[in-house]
Amino acid sequence: MRRNTKRRIELVGIGLTGLLAALMLAFLVLDYLRAYPYASALYEQFRLAGLMLDSALGTNVFYHPFMWRSLATGVLVGIVAPLVGTYLVHREMALIGETLAHTAFAGVAIGLLFSSTTGWGGSLLLSALVVGILGALGVQWLAERTDTYGDVPIAIMLTGSFAVGTLIISYGRGLTGINIRGFLFGNLSVVTPAGARMMAVLSVLVVAVVLATYKQLLFITFDEQAARVARLDVTWYNTLLIVMTAVVVVGAMQILGVILVAAMLVVPVAAATQIAGSFRETLLLSILFGQLSIVGGFAIAISQSLPAGGSIVVVAIGFYLLAILASGRSAAAISTH
């Protein structure tokens, strides 16, 4: 009976998460098409709902489109980050998120320098995405072609990419007025319309890829050697997973910043492993914990005028500690479950 109740709560939570994600995607589509009459009318309904929300909560933020874009980006991050992170944590690759975040930071630095010297007006997130994916492929290449321990290529890429980013920022200081602090620690104002739309497209792609390759990714996660014996293209699926991680990291960097972005790949999954009974349940619960962390973090950030990234991570850690207390298991269960 208790198990059935738990299952129903999980399904309701996933259903509400899906509904919220659909609403946020709808807003981003309407935001893009608001120059057209019908889309404009529906778009104004979102703003009216925001005005009513402001009136009910005593705030003055939800009427503004930038807040809806930030919320939409956060909701999508709360889905795709734990989704990809579940595979990473069970493969003991939690550090890869931090590595690719630093690689994406180098991409931002390159984009800033290129923009300031050539007048290019493209999105910095685009340059971060390109460099992040190249960094992911680089980590994969190093891991397969060196005899060092598995985490050595990751550590080299982490420190090397951040070093390159800091050198470029220092070299180009004064050439641009963009505050790099927002990319380091996250900032709701960093979320541009183009950045939010990019996150929407990438999120849909990541979810679709995970659904299409769920069994293959599960196979290589728990028994890579058996997958090779079964003639599964393990290298391809490893590369696919690490590229999806880079994509998620770049999108989440808008809200959480380079310093904190890896937390959303790991902490909700760590919480889910404490109370889940299977990999599939871990996947679902990690998404729920991720979404609750996003919503709770935004609520704290808005009400107390605090940074959203730090608020989200603190809430996520709170859920992790509660999950440990509820399960009675040790924190070490994350690497063995």
Side-chain angles (χ1 to χ4, degrees):
M1 181 68 179
R2 183 178 177 182
R3 184 174 179 82
N4 290 336
T5 301
K6 180 184 175 185
R7 181 64 175 168
R8 282 196 293 268
I9 292 173
E10 291 172 5
L11 292 176
V12 169
I14 289 296
L16 291 175
T17 298
L19 179 61
L20 182 60
L23 286 172
M24 294 298 99
L25 287 171
F27 169 78
L28 294 176
V29 171
L30 293 173
D31 187 37
Y32 180 66
L33 299 175
R34 59 181 171 173
Y36 298 92
Y38 292 111
S40 177
L42 292 173
Y43 175 78
E44 288 303 320
Q45 293 303 309
F46 270 98
R47 298 198 66 181
L48 180 60
L51 187 62
M52 294 172 64
L53 199 57
D54 277 330
S55 177
L57 299 176
T59 58
N60 188 30
V61 293
F62 292 103
Y63 177 73
H64 303 288
F66 88 89
M67 180 54 68
W68 282 98
R69 295 186 197 108
S70 299
L71 283 171
T73 302
V75 166
L76 296 174
V77 168
I79 294 173
V80 294
L83 183 65
V84 173
T86 303
Y87 292 99
L88 297 178
V89 169
H90 282 81
R91 300 195 68 186
E92 299 183 356
M93 293 173 61
L95 190 61
I96 193 66
E98 189 74 25
T99 300
L100 296 179
H102 286 74
T103 305
F105 171 72
V108 171
I110 291 170
L112 279 171
L113 184 61
F114 185 74
S115 176
S116 61
T117 54
T118 64
W120 176 66
S123 171
L124 294 177
L125 287 177
L126 180 60
S127 64
L129 180 62
V130 171
V131 175
I133 290 175
L134 291 176
L137 297 175
V139 169
Q140 182 71 11
W141 185 86
L142 287 172
E144 292 184 352
R145 287 165 176 78
T146 61
D147 295 326
T148 54
Y149 292 104
D151 58 350
V152 172
I154 294 176
I156 291 172
M157 183 64 72
L158 188 155
T159 54
S161 58
F162 197 70
V164 169
T166 54
L167 288 175
I168 292 175
I169 292 296
S170 298
Y171 175 77
R173 186 171 293 159
L175 294 177
T176 176
I178 295 179
N179 183 10
I180 200 67
R181 183 182 177 89
F183 289 97
L184 284 173
F185 301 105
N187 192 327
L188 297 182
S189 63
V190 171
V191 183
T192 63
R197 289 195 294 268
M198 186 180 80
M199 185 64 204
V201 172
L202 295 177
S203 297
V204 171
L205 287 175
V206 167
V207 171
V209 169
V210 170
L211 288 176
T213 61
Y214 174 79
K215 292 182 179 179
Q216 293 89 336
L217 292 176
L218 184 63
F219 200 178
I220 67 170
T221 295
F222 286 99
D223 200 337
E224 187 172 306
Q225 292 304 317
R228 292 184 187 276
V229 172
R231 303 200 175 200
L232 193 67
D233 192 346
V234 172
T235 299
W236 160 250
Y237 287 107
N238 281 334
T239 303
L240 182 65
L241 178 60
I242 203 170
V243 168
M244 284 196 296
T245 304
V247 166
V248 171
V249 162
V250 171
M253 188 173 66
Q254 301 175 83
I255 298 292
L256 296 162
V258 170
I259 306 299
L260 297 173
V261 69
M264 281 304 291
L265 291 167
V266 176
V267 181
V269 183
T273 56
Q274 300 302 315
I275 57 177
S278 66
F279 181 82
R280 185 185 294 271
E281 189 177 12
T282 301
L283 202 63
L284 296 177
L285 284 174
S286 66
I287 293 173
L288 290 181
F289 281 129
Q291 204 58 239
L292 289 171
S293 300
I294 291 289
V295 173
F298 266 91
I300 292 173
I302 292 170
S303 63
Q304 304 299 321
S305 299
L306 294 172
S311 301
I312 291 168
V313 173
V314 167
V315 172
I317 292 173
F319 281 120
Y320 173 53
L321 296 175
L322 287 174
I324 291 176
L325 293 175
S327 68
R329 274 190 254 167
S330 69
I334 184 174
S335 62
T336 59
H337 177 63

